[in-house]
Coordinates of all heavy atoms in Angstrom, one line a residue:
M1 N 0.8 -1.2 0.0 CA 0.0 0.0 0.0 C 0.9 1.2 0.0 O 0.6 2.2 -0.6 CB -0.9 0.0 1.2 CG -1.8 1.1 1.3 SD -3.1 1.0 -0.1 CE -4.1 2.4 0.3
L2 N 1.9 1.2 0.7 CA 2.9 2.3 0.9 C 3.5 2.6 -0.5 O 3.5 3.8 -1.0 CB 3.9 2.2 1.8 CG 5.0 3.3 2.0 CD1 4.2 4.5 2.5 CD2 6.1 2.8 3.0
K3 N 3.8 1.6 -1.3 CA 4.4 1.9 -2.6 C 3.5 2.4 -3.6 O 3.7 3.3 -4.3 CB 4.9 0.5 -3.2 CG 6.2 0.0 -2.5 CD 6.6 -1.3 -3.2 CE 7.8 -1.9 -2.5 NZ 8.4 -3.0 -3.1
I4 N 2.2 2.1 -3.5 CA 1.1 2.6 -4.3 C 0.9 4.1 -4.0 O 0.9 4.9 -4.9 CB -0.2 1.8 -4.3 CG1 0.0 0.4 -4.8 CG2 -1.4 2.6 -5.0 CD1 -1.1 -0.5 -4.6
T5 N 0.8 4.4 -2.7 CA 0.6 5.7 -2.3 C 1.9 6.6 -2.7 O 1.7 7.7 -3.2 CB 0.5 5.8 -0.8 OG1 -0.6 5.0 -0.4 CG2 0.2 7.2 -0.3
L6 N 3.1 6.1 -2.6 CA 4.3 6.8 -2.9 C 4.3 7.1 -4.5 O 4.6 8.2 -4.9 CB 5.5 6.1 -2.5 CG 6.8 6.8 -2.7 CD1 6.8 8.2 -2.1 CD2 8.0 6.0 -2.1
A7 N 3.9 6.0 -5.2 CA 3.9 6.2 -6.7 C 2.9 7.2 -7.1 O 3.0 8.0 -8.0 CB 3.6 4.8 -7.3
L8 N 1.7 7.1 -6.5 CA 0.6 8.2 -6.8 C 1.1 9.5 -6.5 O 0.9 10.5 -7.3 CB -0.6 7.8 -6.1 CG -1.8 8.7 -6.3 CD1 -2.3 8.6 -7.8 CD2 -3.0 8.3 -5.4
F9 N 1.7 9.7 -5.4 CA 2.2 11.1 -5.0 C 3.2 11.5 -6.0 O 3.2 12.7 -6.4 CB 2.8 11.0 -3.5 CG 3.4 12.3 -3.1 CD1 2.7 13.4 -2.7 CD2 4.8 12.5 -3.1 CE1 3.2 14.6 -2.4 CE2 5.4 13.7 -2.8 CZ 4.6 14.7 -2.4
C10 N 4.2 10.7 -6.4 CA 5.2 11.0 -7.3 C 4.6 11.4 -8.6 O 5.1 12.4 -9.3 CB 6.3 9.9 -7.4 SG 7.3 9.7 -6.0
S11 N 3.6 10.7 -9.1 CA 3.0 10.9 -10.4 C 2.3 12.3 -10.3 O 2.4 13.1 -11.3 CB 2.0 9.8 -10.7 OG 2.6 8.6 -10.9
I12 N 1.6 12.6 -9.3 CA 0.9 13.8 -9.1 C 1.9 15.0 -9.1 O 1.7 16.0 -9.8 CB 0.0 13.8 -7.9 CG1 -1.1 12.9 -8.1 CG2 -0.5 15.3 -7.6 CD1 -2.0 12.7 -6.8
F13 N 3.0 14.8 -8.4 CA 4.0 15.9 -8.3 C 4.6 16.2 -9.7 O 4.8 17.3 -10.1 CB 5.0 15.5 -7.3 CG 6.0 16.6 -7.1 CD1 5.8 17.8 -6.4 CD2 7.3 16.5 -7.8 CE1 6.7 18.8 -6.3 CE2 8.2 17.5 -7.6 CZ 7.9 18.6 -6.9
M14 N 4.9 15.1 -10.4 CA 5.6 15.2 -11.7 C 4.7 16.0 -12.7 O 5.2 16.8 -13.5 CB 5.9 13.9 -12.3 CG 7.1 13.3 -11.7 SD 7.5 11.6 -12.2 CE 7.3 11.6 -13.9
F15 N 3.3 15.8 -12.6 CA 2.5 16.4 -13.6 C 2.1 17.8 -13.0 O 1.8 18.7 -13.8 CB 1.2 15.6 -13.8 CG 1.5 14.4 -14.6 CD1 1.4 13.1 -14.1 CD2 1.7 14.5 -15.9 CE1 1.7 12.0 -14.7 CE2 1.9 13.4 -16.7 CZ 1.9 12.2 -16.2
A16 N 2.1 18.1 -11.7 CA 1.7 19.4 -11.3 C 2.9 20.3 -11.1 O 2.6 21.5 -11.1 CB 1.1 19.1 -9.8
A17 N 4.1 19.8 -11.2 CA 5.3 20.6 -10.9 C 5.4 21.8 -11.9 O 5.6 22.9 -11.5 CB 6.5 19.8 -11.0
P18 N 5.1 21.6 -13.3 CA 5.1 22.7 -14.2 C 4.2 23.8 -13.8 O 4.3 25.0 -14.1 CB 4.8 22.1 -15.5 CG 5.2 20.7 -15.4 CD 4.9 20.4 -13.9
L19 N 3.0 23.5 -13.3 CA 2.0 24.4 -12.9 C 2.4 25.1 -11.6 O 2.0 26.3 -11.4 CB 0.6 23.7 -12.6 CG 0.1 22.9 -13.8 CD1 -1.1 22.1 -13.3 CD2 -0.2 23.8 -14.9
L20 N 3.3 24.6 -10.9 CA 3.7 25.3 -9.6 C 5.1 26.0 -9.8 O 5.6 26.4 -8.8 CB 3.9 24.2 -8.5 CG 2.7 23.4 -8.2 CD1 3.1 22.3 -7.2 CD2 1.6 24.3 -7.6
A21 N 5.5 26.0 -11.1 CA 6.8 26.7 -11.4 C 6.9 28.2 -10.8 O 5.9 29.0 -11.0 CB 7.1 26.7 -12.8
A22 N 7.9 28.5 -10.2 CA 8.1 29.8 -9.6 C 8.5 30.8 -10.7 O 9.2 30.5 -11.5 CB 9.1 29.9 -8.5
N23 N 8.0 32.0 -10.6 CA 8.4 33.0 -11.5 C 9.3 34.0 -10.7 O 8.9 34.4 -9.6 CB 7.1 33.8 -12.1 CG 6.4 33.0 -13.0 OD1 7.0 32.2 -13.8 ND2 5.0 33.1 -13.0
Y24 N 10.3 34.4 -11.4 CA 11.2 35.4 -10.8 C 11.2 36.6 -11.7 O 11.2 36.6 -13.0 CB 12.6 34.9 -10.8 CG 12.8 33.7 -9.8 CD1 12.6 32.4 -10.2 CD2 13.1 33.9 -8.5 CE1 12.7 31.4 -9.3 CE2 13.3 32.9 -7.6 CZ 13.1 31.6 -8.0 OH 13.2 30.5 -7.2
T25 N 11.0 37.8 -11.2 CA 10.8 39.0 -11.9 C 12.0 39.9 -11.5 O 12.3 40.1 -10.4 CB 9.5 39.7 -11.5 OG1 8.5 38.8 -11.7 CG2 9.3 41.0 -12.3
V26 N 12.5 40.6 -12.5 CA 13.5 41.7 -12.3 C 12.8 43.0 -12.2 O 11.9 43.3 -13.1 CB 14.5 41.7 -13.6 CG1 15.5 42.8 -13.4 CG2 15.2 40.3 -13.9
Y27 N 12.9 43.6 -11.1 CA 12.2 44.8 -10.9 C 13.1 46.0 -10.8 O 14.3 45.9 -10.5 CB 11.5 44.8 -9.5 CG 10.3 43.9 -9.4 CD1 10.4 42.6 -8.8 CD2 9.1 44.2 -9.8 CE1 9.4 41.7 -8.7 CE2 8.0 43.4 -9.8 CZ 8.1 42.2 -9.2 OH 7.0 41.3 -9.2
C28 N 12.6 47.2 -11.0 CA 13.2 48.4 -10.6 C 12.4 48.9 -9.3 O 11.2 49.2 -9.5 CB 13.1 49.5 -11.7 SG 13.9 51.1 -11.2
A29 N 13.0 48.8 -8.2 CA 12.4 49.2 -6.9 C 13.3 50.2 -6.2 O 14.5 49.9 -6.0 CB 12.1 48.0 -6.1
N30 N 12.7 51.3 -5.8 CA 13.4 52.4 -5.2 C 14.6 52.8 -6.0 O 15.8 53.1 -5.4 CB 13.8 51.9 -3.7 CG 12.6 51.8 -2.8 OD1 11.6 52.5 -2.9 ND2 12.7 50.8 -2.0
G31 N 14.5 52.7 -7.3 CA 15.6 53.1 -8.2 C 16.7 52.2 -8.4 O 17.8 52.5 -8.9
K32 N 16.6 50.9 -7.9 CA 17.6 50.0 -7.9 C 17.1 48.6 -8.5 O 15.9 48.3 -8.3 CB 18.2 49.7 -6.6 CG 19.0 50.9 -6.0 CD 19.6 50.6 -4.7 CE 20.2 51.9 -4.2 NZ 21.0 51.7 -3.0
I33 N 17.9 47.9 -9.2 CA 17.6 46.6 -9.8 C 17.5 45.6 -8.6 O 18.3 45.5 -7.8 CB 18.7 46.1 -10.8 CG1 18.9 47.0 -11.9 CG2 18.4 44.6 -11.3 CD1 17.8 47.2 -12.9
E34 N 16.3 44.8 -8.8 CA 16.1 43.8 -7.8 C 15.5 42.6 -8.5 O 14.8 42.7 -9.5 CB 15.1 44.3 -6.8 CG 15.3 44.0 -5.3 CD 14.3 44.7 -4.4 OE1 14.3 45.9 -4.2 OE2 13.5 43.9 -3.8
V35 N 15.8 41.3 -7.9 CA 15.1 40.1 -8.4 C 14.3 39.6 -7.2 O 14.8 39.5 -6.1 CB 16.1 39.1 -8.9 CG1 15.5 37.8 -9.3 CG2 16.9 39.6 -10.0
D36 N 13.0 39.2 -7.5 CA 12.2 38.7 -6.5 C 11.1 37.8 -7.0 O 10.7 38.0 -8.2 CB 11.5 40.0 -5.7 CG 11.1 39.7 -4.4 OD1 10.2 38.9 -4.2 OD2 11.7 40.2 -3.4
M37 N 10.5 37.0 -6.1 CA 9.4 36.1 -6.6 C 8.1 36.7 -6.4 O 7.1 36.2 -6.9 CB 9.5 34.8 -5.8 CG 10.8 33.9 -6.1 SD 10.8 32.5 -5.2 CE 9.4 31.6 -5.8
R38 N 8.0 37.8 -5.6 CA 6.7 38.4 -5.3 C 6.0 39.0 -6.6 O 6.7 39.6 -7.4 CB 6.8 39.5 -4.2 CG 7.1 38.8 -2.9 CD 7.3 39.9 -1.8 NE 8.5 40.4 -2.0 CZ 9.1 41.4 -1.2 NH1 8.3 41.9 -0.2 NH2 10.3 41.8 -1.3
P39 N 4.7 38.9 -6.7 CA 4.0 39.6 -7.7 C 4.1 41.1 -7.6 O 4.5 41.7 -6.5 CB 2.6 39.1 -7.6 CG 2.4 38.6 -6.2 CD 3.8 38.2 -5.7
L40 N 3.9 41.8 -8.7 CA 4.1 43.3 -8.8 C 3.3 44.0 -7.6 O 3.7 44.9 -7.0 CB 3.6 43.8 -10.1 CG 3.7 45.3 -10.3 CD1 5.2 45.8 -10.1 CD2 3.2 45.7 -11.7
D41 N 2.0 43.6 -7.4 CA 1.3 44.3 -6.4 C 1.9 44.2 -5.0 O 1.8 45.2 -4.2 CB -0.2 43.8 -6.4 CG -0.4 42.3 -6.0 OD1 0.5 41.5 -6.3 OD2 -1.4 42.0 -5.5
Q42 N 2.4 43.1 -4.7 CA 3.1 42.9 -3.4 C 4.5 43.8 -3.3 O 4.7 44.4 -2.4 CB 3.4 41.5 -3.1 CG 2.2 40.6 -2.8 CD 2.5 39.2 -2.4 OE1 3.6 38.8 -2.3 NE2 1.4 38.4 -2.3
M43 N 5.1 43.8 -4.5 CA 6.3 44.6 -4.5 C 6.0 46.0 -4.4 O 6.7 46.8 -3.7 CB 7.1 44.4 -5.9 CG 7.9 43.0 -5.9 SD 9.1 42.8 -4.6 CE 10.3 44.0 -5.4
V44 N 5.1 46.5 -5.1 CA 4.6 48.0 -5.0 C 4.2 48.3 -3.6 O 4.6 49.3 -3.0 CB 3.4 48.3 -5.9 CG1 2.8 49.6 -5.7 CG2 3.9 48.2 -7.4
S45 N 3.4 47.4 -2.9 CA 3.1 47.5 -1.4 C 4.4 47.6 -0.5 O 4.4 48.5 0.4 CB 2.2 46.4 -1.0 OG 1.9 46.5 0.4
A46 N 5.3 46.8 -0.9 CA 6.5 46.7 0.0 C 7.6 47.8 -0.4 O 8.3 48.3 0.5 CB 7.2 45.4 -0.2
R47 N 7.7 48.2 -1.7 CA 8.8 49.1 -2.1 C 8.3 50.4 -2.5 O 9.1 51.4 -2.7 CB 9.5 48.4 -3.3 CG 10.2 47.2 -3.0 CD 11.3 47.3 -2.0 NE 12.2 46.1 -1.9 CZ 12.1 45.2 -1.0 NH1 11.2 45.3 -0.1 NH2 12.9 44.1 -1.0
G48 N 7.0 50.6 -2.7 CA 6.4 51.9 -3.2 C 5.9 51.9 -4.6 O 6.3 51.0 -5.4
K49 N 5.2 53.1 -4.9 CA 4.5 53.2 -6.2 C 5.5 53.3 -7.4 O 5.1 53.0 -8.5 CB 3.6 54.3 -6.2 CG 2.5 54.1 -5.2 CD 1.4 55.2 -5.4 CE 0.4 54.9 -4.3 NZ -1.0 55.5 -4.5
G50 N 6.7 53.6 -7.2 CA 7.7 53.8 -8.3 C 8.3 52.4 -8.7 O 9.1 52.3 -9.7
T51 N 7.8 51.4 -8.2 CA 8.3 50.0 -8.4 C 7.7 49.5 -9.8 O 6.4 49.6 -9.9 CB 8.0 49.0 -7.3 OG1 8.7 49.6 -6.1 CG2 8.4 47.6 -7.6
Y52 N 8.5 48.9 -10.7 CA 7.9 48.3 -11.9 C 8.7 47.1 -12.3 O 9.9 47.0 -12.0 CB 7.8 49.3 -13.1 CG 9.1 50.0 -13.5 CD1 9.9 49.3 -14.5 CD2 9.6 51.1 -12.9 CE1 11.1 50.0 -14.9 CE2 10.8 51.6 -13.2 CZ 11.5 51.1 -14.3 OH 12.7 51.6 -14.7
A53 N 8.0 46.2 -13.0 CA 8.6 45.0 -13.5 C 9.4 45.3 -14.8 O 8.9 46.1 -15.7 CB 7.6 43.9 -13.8
I54 N 10.5 44.7 -15.0 CA 11.4 44.8 -16.2 C 11.3 43.6 -17.0 O 11.0 43.6 -18.2 CB 12.9 45.1 -15.8 CG1 13.0 46.5 -15.0 CG2 13.8 45.1 -17.1 CD1 14.4 46.7 -14.4
A55 N 11.4 42.4 -16.4 CA 11.2 41.2 -17.1 C 10.9 40.0 -16.1 O 11.2 40.1 -14.9 CB 12.5 40.9 -17.8
E56 N 10.3 39.0 -16.7 CA 9.9 37.8 -15.8 C 10.5 36.6 -16.4 O 10.5 36.3 -17.6 CB 8.4 37.8 -15.7 CG 7.9 36.7 -14.7 CD 6.4 36.7 -14.6 OE1 5.8 37.8 -14.3 OE2 5.8 35.7 -14.8
Y57 N 11.0 35.7 -15.5 CA 11.6 34.4 -15.9 C 11.1 33.3 -15.1 O 10.6 33.5 -14.0 CB 13.2 34.4 -15.7 CG 13.7 35.5 -16.6 CD1 13.9 36.8 -16.2 CD2 14.0 35.2 -17.9 CE1 14.4 37.8 -17.1 CE2 14.6 36.1 -18.9 CZ 14.8 37.5 -18.4 OH 15.2 38.4 -19.2
N58 N 11.2 32.0 -15.6 CA 10.7 30.8 -14.9 C 11.7 30.4 -13.9 O 11.4 29.5 -13.1 CB 10.3 29.8 -15.8 CG 9.2 30.1 -16.6 OD1 8.2 30.8 -16.1 ND2 9.1 29.7 -17.8
N59 N 13.0 30.9 -13.9 CA 14.0 30.4 -13.0 C 14.9 31.5 -12.6 O 15.1 32.5 -13.2 CB 14.9 29.3 -13.6 CG 15.5 29.6 -14.9 OD1 16.5 30.5 -14.8 ND2 15.2 29.1 -16.0
R60 N 15.5 31.4 -11.4 CA 16.3 32.5 -10.8 C 17.6 32.7 -11.6 O 18.0 33.9 -11.7 CB 16.7 32.0 -9.4 CG 17.5 32.9 -8.5 CD 16.8 34.1 -8.2 NE 17.5 35.1 -7.6 CZ 17.2 35.9 -6.5 NH1 16.1 35.6 -5.8 NH2 18.0 36.8 -6.1
T61 N 18.2 31.7 -12.2 CA 19.4 31.9 -13.0 C 19.2 32.8 -14.1 O 20.0 33.8 -14.3 CB 19.9 30.6 -13.5 OG1 20.1 29.6 -12.4 CG2 21.2 30.7 -14.3
D62 N 18.1 32.6 -14.9 CA 17.8 33.6 -16.0 C 17.6 35.0 -15.6 O 18.0 36.0 -16.1 CB 16.7 33.1 -16.8 CG 17.1 31.9 -17.7 OD1 18.3 31.6 -17.8 OD2 16.3 31.2 -18.1
A63 N 16.8 35.1 -14.4 CA 16.5 36.4 -13.9 C 17.8 37.1 -13.4 O 17.9 38.4 -13.7 CB 15.5 36.3 -12.7
D64 N 18.7 36.4 -12.7 CA 19.9 37.1 -12.3 C 20.8 37.4 -13.5 O 21.5 38.5 -13.4 CB 20.7 36.0 -11.4 CG 20.1 35.9 -10.0 OD1 19.4 36.8 -9.6 OD2 20.3 34.8 -9.3
K65 N 20.9 36.5 -14.5 CA 21.6 37.0 -15.8 C 21.0 38.3 -16.3 O 21.8 39.1 -16.7 CB 21.5 35.8 -16.8 CG 22.3 34.6 -16.4 CD 22.3 33.6 -17.6 CE 23.0 32.4 -17.2 NZ 22.8 31.3 -18.2
H66 N 19.7 38.4 -16.4 CA 19.2 39.7 -16.9 C 19.6 40.9 -16.0 O 19.9 41.9 -16.5 CB 17.6 39.5 -17.1 CG 17.0 40.7 -17.8 ND1 16.6 40.6 -19.1 CD2 16.8 42.0 -17.4 CE1 16.2 41.8 -19.4 NE2 16.3 42.6 -18.5
A67 N 19.4 40.7 -14.7 CA 19.7 41.8 -13.8 C 21.2 42.1 -14.0 O 21.6 43.3 -14.0 CB 19.4 41.3 -12.4
K68 N 22.1 41.1 -14.2 CA 23.5 41.4 -14.3 C 23.8 42.1 -15.6 O 24.6 43.0 -15.7 CB 24.3 40.0 -14.3 CG 25.8 40.2 -14.3 CD 26.5 39.0 -14.1 CE 28.0 39.3 -14.1 NZ 28.8 38.0 -13.8
S69 N 23.0 41.8 -16.7 CA 23.1 42.6 -17.9 C 22.8 44.0 -17.8 O 23.2 44.8 -18.7 CB 22.3 41.9 -19.0 OG 20.9 42.2 -18.9
L70 N 22.0 44.4 -16.8 CA 21.6 45.7 -16.5 C 22.5 46.4 -15.5 O 22.3 47.6 -15.2 CB 20.1 45.8 -16.0 CG 19.1 45.2 -17.0 CD1 17.8 45.1 -16.2 CD2 18.9 46.0 -18.2
G71 N 23.5 45.7 -15.1 CA 24.5 46.3 -14.1 C 24.5 45.4 -12.8 O 25.3 45.6 -12.0
G72 N 23.5 44.6 -12.6 CA 23.5 43.8 -11.4 C 22.5 44.2 -10.3 O 22.1 45.4 -10.4
V73 N 22.1 43.4 -9.4 CA 21.3 43.6 -8.4 C 21.8 44.8 -7.5 O 23.0 44.8 -7.2 CB 21.0 42.4 -7.5 CG1 20.2 42.7 -6.2 CG2 20.3 41.4 -8.3
G74 N 21.1 45.8 -7.2 CA 21.5 46.9 -6.4 C 22.0 48.1 -7.3 O 22.2 49.2 -6.7
T75 N 22.2 47.9 -8.6 CA 22.6 48.9 -9.5 C 21.4 49.8 -9.8 O 20.2 49.4 -9.8 CB 23.1 48.3 -10.8 OG1 24.1 47.5 -10.5 CG2 23.5 49.4 -11.8
A76 N 21.7 51.1 -10.0 CA 20.6 52.1 -10.2 C 20.0 51.7 -11.6 O 20.6 51.3 -12.5 CB 21.2 53.5 -10.3
C77 N 18.6 51.9 -11.5 CA 17.9 51.7 -12.8 C 17.2 53.0 -13.2 O 17.0 53.9 -12.4 CB 16.9 50.5 -12.6 SG 15.7 50.8 -11.3
I78 N 16.8 53.0 -14.4 CA 16.2 54.2 -14.9 C 14.6 54.2 -14.4 O 14.0 53.3 -14.7 CB 16.2 54.3 -16.4 CG1 17.6 54.4 -16.9 CG2 15.5 55.6 -17.0 CD1 17.9 54.3 -18.3
K79 N 14.1 55.2 -13.8 CA 12.8 55.3 -13.4 C 11.9 55.7 -14.5 O 12.2 56.4 -15.3 CB 12.7 56.3 -12.3 CG 13.4 56.0 -10.9 CD 13.0 57.0 -9.9 CE 13.7 56.5 -8.7 NZ 13.4 57.5 -7.5
K80 N 10.8 55.0 -14.5 CA 9.8 55.3 -15.6 C 9.0 56.6 -15.2 O 8.8 57.0 -14.1 CB 8.7 54.2 -15.7 CG 9.2 53.0 -16.4 CD 8.1 52.1 -16.6 CE 8.5 50.9 -17.6 NZ 7.4 50.0 -17.8

């Protein structure tokens, strides 16, 4: 019974994992580049109305690469 339960759990996780994929967003927040998992409304609430999304990625590595191409996390960004 344990093997069946474990197999069922693994199958459900394998099919549901893509639906649970985390999104990482490169933001301009308080005039600086930031990478975060929070949605825009939460970032605006935490960082202020001048916060905006620059790009969104499915993994942290790509988001960090984009942030680095802009100068890196903590670097000044152009305000909209």
Side-chain angles (χ1 to χ4, degrees):
M1 182 68 175
L2 180 60
K3 286 183 181 181
I4 293 171
T5 304
L6 185 57
L8 180 60
F9 176 76
C10 290
S11 296
I12 291 170
F13 182 75
M14 285 173 41
F15 289 108
L19 301 174
L20 302 174
N23 288 323
Y24 294 88
T25 305
V26 179
Y27 288 103
C28 180
N30 294 325
K32 295 183 180 179
I33 301 293
E34 223 177 288
V35 175
D36 205 290
M37 291 180 65
R38 289 178 281 183
L40 181 58
D41 62 331
Q42 288 181 9
M43 285 296 289
V44 169
S45 177
R47 301 289 194 264
K49 293 186 182 204
T51 301
Y52 61 90
I54 298 171
E56 187 174 302
Y57 295 93
N58 290 328
N59 60 68
R60 179 73 189 223
T61 301
D62 289 341
D64 285 339
K65 283 181 186 176
H66 188 103
K68 189 173 183 178
S69 77
L70 299 172
V73 172
T75 302
C77 54
I78 298 170
K79 293 185 180 183
K80 280 188 173 180

